[in-house]
Structure formats: structure tokens, C-alpha cells
């Protein structure tokens, strides 16, 4: 293979691991910055990895010196060092984009400036209980209190149902920089993986995402009982949102489909995303292939992002016992034709993303029937 460029990735979790699976097929070396033995490093044997934290500026600099293009699999990184090294190495997407998106309130203020539809929000930094009260008067109840930073899997969110919840809300999130969002009374959550290349903005198909306890449990592609016109609007909105940011790569766009059929952006991730795992089996090129191609300026054509066959993705989460995830994988291996992905994370904890599986069929109905026993088995593990 002619491509000798080295890609550096901040973060070595499951997204980095699946990015490396795609890079390995093209014989592209990926240098990972994360702790030793992280999921991504386990499947990539060479001496280009860096041991340490993606929040450590010195380590980010060290990685940049060993690579031609630096990217991320997580947005909670040191963007100041990325800004500093951007003169010597290509950083994709741009450090400016990463800095804006990693702060969910800044992300939403940015999208608002570009006329993108999203839930109304109010800044609460330094405002304490009085601020919570003002939001209640403006938005009514319930509303969503959110941490601006370091949020994932709902860890950073608190539903404020009435004034009686204020103490619990402060207890849960009090030490963090906060803002509030108006409640989105959605009928469904949708997501679209968008690819930003040097030439423009492309999108994968629209996905329905089902969350349980604020963690993604299932994705359905195409979404169930959603018209193709609505799916198209979701793709258009997602592309409009991503066009507002600088840089190249894949972005995960989460949306609410409201009961009146309108769409709002929930949030954006500047990297491959859980709602795009289905692309590995269901599309000609996956979100990971697309991310690599976009950051390395390897051409992408829209037909390469199409859905070959309807797909359902089921997350394998840590559950009641430490071996619940292994039992699910074993059950799926023995009783289905699902593609199984295990992340090599070691210790299982309730709610921790340990793996996922994807099943495709000629129709979504058939896929639903085929996955039902696996969903039942997963539900039994919750205890
Ligand atoms: P992720 O793991 O996707 O990064 P996160 O911790 O950043 O999640 P959000 O995406 O902000 O959290 O919210 C998690 C879930 O909470 C959403 O998928 C949705 O189900 C619900 N939610 C978030 N914001 C609102 C809102 N304004 N109104 C109603 N429900 C909401
Ligand atoms: Mg998030
Ligand atoms: Mg989210």
C-alpha cells in the first residue's frame, strides 16, 4: 500500500479499536494515546503508541510528533495542545470544532448562530438554586439540567420535575458547570452519521436510537414507522448542523423527532458514534472507513454510504453479574447469525459498554423477529 501516512488517535477505547480495524485493512498505521492495554492498543502491535492520558498536554504533543494526521475518538481532550501543534501536524476535525463541541452549551450556542433547530437552553453557571427556579418559571417542568462538560451516557444530566428536586439536582451535579434545556417531548430519537470531507458534507442513512436509563440500547436502520420524507429531513438537518463546523471526519448527530413531526438537534459528537456501529455490516463502507478516508482525503462517493440491508444493533452492556456480557456474547454466538463485537475492556460494570452485536435482514421486520430472543436474553441479565 502506497499510503505511508501515520494517523494519531487521542483515546483508545472501543471507537479507536474499530477505527484500527478499518485502518488495518488499508495497512495504515494508527498510533494511539491512552493507557497501556486499552482496547485499541490490544489489536495493534507496533512501537508508535503513546502511554498516557489524552488530557495530558505533553502526551498530546508527543503523539503529534509521531503522526501526519491527529484525530480523536473522544471529545474530552486537551484542545489547547491541539491548537499549538496544529501548525506542524494536521488536526481533524479542527481543534476549534473540538473545543466548541466538548462544551455542550457552547456547542448549542454555536448551532443557534447558524440557524440550526435545537432545544432552548439557559446558562446556569454561578447561578445556584435561584437559577434553577428561574429556569422553572421560563421553561416549566420537567426540564433537563445538564453538565456542560465531561458528559456521556446520561452521566451529567438530571431531570428537574419540580422545585422539590432542587436539592437532589444540586447534590447530583452541583460541582459541575451547568446549563438547562427545555424538555423535548419527543416521540422518537433519531441519529445520523455525517461525513465532512474536503469537498463537502455527506450522510449515512437515518437511524432510530432507543435509550434505556440514558444509555443507547438499540438502533434501527431504517427507523420504525418513519416516512422517507422525515428520514430525509433528519439527514438534511444533520448535514446543516455539521456544515457549521470546521474540519474533516465523521460526526454523530443525535436528534429528537417531536410529536408534531418537527426535528430538533439533541447533540453532536465530533467522531464515530455508537449510533453508527451498524454501518460496519450494513453499508459498503463503515463510519470508521469513512472517518479515515475523510481525514486522509481519500475520496468518498454518496453510494458508498447507502444501506445495503436493514440492520438492528444491540449494545452489550455490563449488567447484574460480572459475566453478564460474556453470557450475552455466548448466547448470540450459539443462537444467531449476528455479528458480534467485543471490546476487550476487562472489568464489567452495570451500564458499561462491553460490546455490541448487529443483525441484518432483507426487511426490518425480519431483523426485528430475529433479534427479539437476543433482546430478551439481554433483559434477563439486568436481574
Ligand atoms: P451521550 O452518551 O449520547 O453522549 P449524554 O450524556 O451527552 O449522552 P444527552 O444526549 O444530552 O446525554 O442525553 C441523554 C438522553 O437523555 C437523550 O438521548 C434523551 O433520551 C434524554 N434527553 C436529553 N436531553 C433532553 C431534553 N432536552 N428533553 C428530553 N429528553 C432529553
Ligand atoms: Mg453526549
Ligand atoms: Mg447523547
Amino acid at each position: 500500500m502506497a499510503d505511508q501516512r501515520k494517523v494519531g488517535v487521542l483515546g483508545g477505547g472501543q471507537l479507536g479499536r474499530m477505527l484500527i480495524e478499518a485502518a488495518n485493512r488499508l495497512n495504515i498505521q494508527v498510533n494511539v494515546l491512552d493507557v497501556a492495554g486499552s482496547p485499541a492498543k490490544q489489536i495493534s502491535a507496533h512501537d508508535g503508541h503513546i502511554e498516557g492520558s489524552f488530557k495530558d498536554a505533553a502526551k498530546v504533543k508527543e503523539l503529534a510528533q509521531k503522526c501526519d494526521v491527529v484525530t480523536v475518538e473522544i471529545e474530552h481532550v486537551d484542545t489547547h495542545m491541539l491548537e499549538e501543534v496544529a501548525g506542524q501536524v494536521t488536526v481533524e476535525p479542527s481543534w476549534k470544532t473540538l473545543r466548541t463541541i466538548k462544551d455542550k452549551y457552547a456547542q448549542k450556542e454555536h448551532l443557534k448562530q447558524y440557524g440550526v433547530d435545537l432545544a432552548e437552553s439557559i446558562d446556569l453557571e454561578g447561578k445556584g438554586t435561584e437559577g434553577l427556579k428561574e429556569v422553572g418559571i421560563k421553561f416549566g417542568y420537567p426540564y433537563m439540567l445538564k453538565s456542560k462538560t465531561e458528559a456521556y451516557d446520561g452521566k451529567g444530566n438530571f431531570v428537574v420535575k419540580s422545585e422539590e428536586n432542587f436539592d437532589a439536582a444540586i447534590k447530583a451535579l452541583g460541582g459541575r458547570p451547568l446549563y438547562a434545556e427545555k424538555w423535548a417531548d419527543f416521540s422518537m430519537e433519531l441519529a445520523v452519521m455525517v461525513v465532512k470531507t474536503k469537498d463537502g458534507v455527506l450522510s449515512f442513512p437515518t437511524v432510530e436510537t432507543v435509550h434505556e436509563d440514558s444509555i443507547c440500547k438499540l438502533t434501527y436502520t431504517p427507523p420504525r414507522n418513519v416516512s422517507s420524507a422525515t428520514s430525509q429531513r433528519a439527514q438534511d438537518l444533520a448535514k446543516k448542523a455539521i456544515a457549521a463546523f470546521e474540519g474533516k471526519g465523521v460526526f454523530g448527530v443525535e436528534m429528537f423527532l417531536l410529536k408534531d413531526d418537527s426535528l430538533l438537534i439533541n447533540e453532536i459528537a465530533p467522531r464515530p458514534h455508537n449510533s453508527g456501529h451498524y454501518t460496519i455490516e450494513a453499508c459498503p463502507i463503515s463510519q470508521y472507513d469513512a472517518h479515515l478516508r475523510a481525514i486522509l482525503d481519500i475520496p468518498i462517493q454518496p453510494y458508498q454510504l447507502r444501506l445495503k440491508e436493514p440492520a438492528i444493533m444491540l449494545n452489550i452492556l455490563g449488567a447484574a453479574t460480572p459475566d453478564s456480557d460474556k453470557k450475552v456474547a455466548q448466547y448470540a454466538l450459539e443462537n444467531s447469525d449476528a455479528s458480534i463485537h467485543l471490546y476487550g475492556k476487562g472489568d464489567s460494570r452495570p451500564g458499561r459498554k462491553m460490546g455490541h452485536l448487529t443483525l441484518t435482514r432483507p426487511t426490518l421486520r425480519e431483523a426485528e423477529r430475529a433479534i427479539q430472543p437476543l433482546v430478551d436474553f439481554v433483559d434477563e441479565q439486568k436481574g
Side-chain angles (χ1 to χ4, degrees):
M1 173 84 192
D3 206 323
Q4 295 298 310
R5 289 174 293 175
K6 291 191 174 72
V7 174
V9 184
L10 273 60
Q14 68 266 26
L15 301 172
R17 180 167 165 128
M18 288 182 270
L19 187 69
I20 286 178
E21 288 173 0
N24 282 348
R25 289 196 302 275
L26 294 179
N27 199 31
I28 292 169
Q29 182 173 320
V30 177
N31 298 335
V32 173
L33 166 55
D34 208 332
V35 294
S38 61
K41 289 184 179 178
Q42 289 168 23
I43 64 158
S44 176
H46 56 71
D47 58 11
H49 298 307
I50 309 273
E51 198 174 325
S53 168
F54 41 79
K55 297 184 190 217
D56 180 339
K59 294 288 178 180
V60 173
K61 189 170 187 178
E62 203 182 320
L63 179 77
Q65 283 161 349
K66 284 188 161 193
C67 303
D68 302 285
V69 182
V70 171
T71 189
V72 301
E73 62 120 48
I74 183 167
E75 54 276 30
H76 312 300
V77 299
D78 184 277
T79 60
H80 295 283
M81 183 47 76
L82 287 178
E83 176 179 3
E84 203 176 308
V85 299
Q88 299 122 53
V89 66
T90 309
V91 177
E92 298 294 355
S94 152
W95 58 268
K96 289 181 210 153
T97 294
L98 296 171
R99 189 172 298 163
T100 305
I101 289 181
K102 73 183 271 200
D103 178 327
K104 287 166 86 167
Y105 183 72
Q107 176 193 134
K108 281 155 200 195
E109 287 294 295
H110 181 84
L111 288 169
K112 211 159 81 184
Q113 280 172 24
Y114 281 82
V116 175
D117 295 328
L118 72 172
E120 254 183 275
S121 50
I122 294 177
D123 191 2
L124 283 174
E125 261 192 274
K127 289 198 181 153
T129 309
E130 212 36 54
L132 296 183
K133 202 170 176 175
E134 280 167 30
V135 174
I137 293 165
K138 180 130 193 260
F139 288 166
Y141 296 94
Y143 66 80
M144 190 66 100
L145 185 64
K146 293 193 178 187
S147 172
K148 293 180 179 178
T149 57
E150 305 288 334
Y152 71 100
D153 291 345
K155 294 173 185 60
N157 288 358
F158 191 97
V159 181
V160 182
K161 294 183 182 137
S162 72
E163 289 197 9
E164 277 159 37
N165 289 156
F166 288 175
D167 288 346
I170 297 282
K171 197 163 168 222
L173 299 177
R176 303 171 70 169
L178 300 179
Y179 75 104
E181 254 176 50
K182 195 168 176 174
W183 192 256
D185 194 16
F186 58 82
S187 57
M188 188 183 271
E189 290 185 83
L190 299 175
V192 173
M193 298 307 307
V194 172
V195 191
K196 198 150 183 281
T197 71
K198 66 179 171 42
D199 303 316
V201 185
L202 302 169
S203 87
F204 280 99
T206 302
V207 180
E208 172 189 354
T209 60
V210 176
H211 292 78
E212 207 171 80
D213 304 323
S214 289
I215 303 175
C216 177
K217 179 181 184 184
L218 287 153
T219 72
Y220 297 83
T221 322
R224 292 171 298 173
N225 306 315
V226 168
S227 69
S228 49
T230 300
S231 280
Q232 187 58 53
R233 272 196 294 128
Q235 291 181 47
D236 294 343
L237 177 61
K239 286 198 277 190
K240 179 177 175 181
I242 298 311
F245 291 99
E246 267 181 47
K248 294 176 284 196
V250 155
F251 294 75
V253 182
E254 301 177 13
M255 283 164 279
F256 301 125
L257 176 62
L258 303 188
K259 290 176 178 150
D260 66 2
D261 232 27
S262 60
L263 288 160
L264 297 178
I265 297 279
N266 170 23
E267 63 163 346
I268 286 167
R271 52 167 169 79
H273 191 261
N274 196 167
S275 66
H277 291 347
Y278 79 96
T279 58
I280 296 173
E281 286 80 16
C283 300
I285 68 170
S286 74
Q287 63 168 341
Y288 303 99
D289 297 316
H291 188 68
L292 279 175
R293 288 185 186 214
I295 65 173
L296 293 171
D297 292 337
I298 300 169
I300 302 176
Q301 306 299 333
Y303 77 92
Q304 295 166 333
L305 308 183
R306 76 185 189 280
L307 190 68
K308 290 190 291 184
E309 198 169 56
I312 300 177
M313 188 274 330
L314 173 65
N315 268 339
I316 303 174
L317 303 173
T321 61
D323 65 346
S324 305
D325 51 302
K326 287 152 207 90
K327 282 195 202 152
V328 171
Q330 193 64 30
Y331 182 82
L333 278 167
E334 288 169 7
N335 297 288
S336 79
D337 60 359
S339 259
I340 299 160
H341 300 253
L342 296 176
Y343 304 151
K345 280 188 175 173
D347 285 352
S348 163
R349 287 191 303 274
R352 189 171 195 211
K353 288 174 178 163
M354 302 303 288
H356 76 269
L357 49 91
T358 302
L359 207 144
T360 71
R361 283 290 183 277
T363 65
L364 192 66
R365 265 252 152 273
E366 287 166 86
E368 281 187 86
R369 269 197 296 276
I371 203 142
Q372 194 54 52
L374 304 181
V375 176
D376 293 341
F377 193 87
V378 160
D379 288 341
E380 280 166 30
Q381 302 308 310
K382 282 189 292 201

